[in-house]
Amino acid sequence: GNSTCAECTSPSVDWLVLEYGVLVCIRCAGAHRSLGTHISKVRSIDLDKFSEAELQWAAAMGNAKSNSIFEAALPARMRRPEPGASDTIRHMWLRAKYDH
């Protein structure tokens, strides 16, 4: 499910990454933002408004489905960052996962 961050499994998910339909924590949201809007657009689930199409996309994808797609091509040695991981580790994970 979507009860934990799609990237680091933190239990605090307050941000939606529109392109991938995943919910993430604030630290991973910041890492997604650092990738640039051409790769990742992040919105607050509490503060921002979403179109019906955006909500349907997010519901259709979700963390598990999106991760199964985008993590399939990751090298076997890549490991998901832990909730306490540094911003550098998060950034490396996201670049490997989404920037190809």
Side-chain angles (χ1 to χ4, degrees):
N2 292 339
S3 60
T4 61
C5 176
E7 310 303 352
C8 76
T9 70
S10 169
S12 179
V13 289
D14 297 314
W15 300 86
L16 174 65
V17 183
L18 294 174
E19 288 74 12
Y20 311 113
V22 296
L23 293 174
V24 297
C25 69
I26 192 166
R27 297 214 31 225
C28 288
H32 267 279
R33 281 204 166 120
S34 74
L35 297 176
T37 57
H38 63 291
I39 297 173
S40 190
K41 292 181 182 75
V42 182
R43 301 289 181 266
S44 167
I45 60 174
D46 294 324
L47 304 175
D48 291 312
K49 303 269 188 249
F50 299 95
S51 71
E52 189 62 33
E54 289 169 335
L55 292 174
Q56 287 175 356
W57 168 249
M61 283 302 283
N63 291 0
K65 183 175 181 181
S66 185
N67 282 348
S68 71
I69 294 166
F70 290 98
E71 293 175 11
L74 288 176
R77 70 187 185 321
M78 289 289 300
R79 295 288 177 253
R80 175 180 308 286
E82 298 288 325
S86 70
D87 292 341
T88 301
I89 296 294
R90 289 170 204 273
H91 189 78
M92 288 173 25
W93 168 259
L94 296 177
R95 279 263 179 232
K97 186 173 174 180
Y98 299 111
D99 190 14
H100 22 83

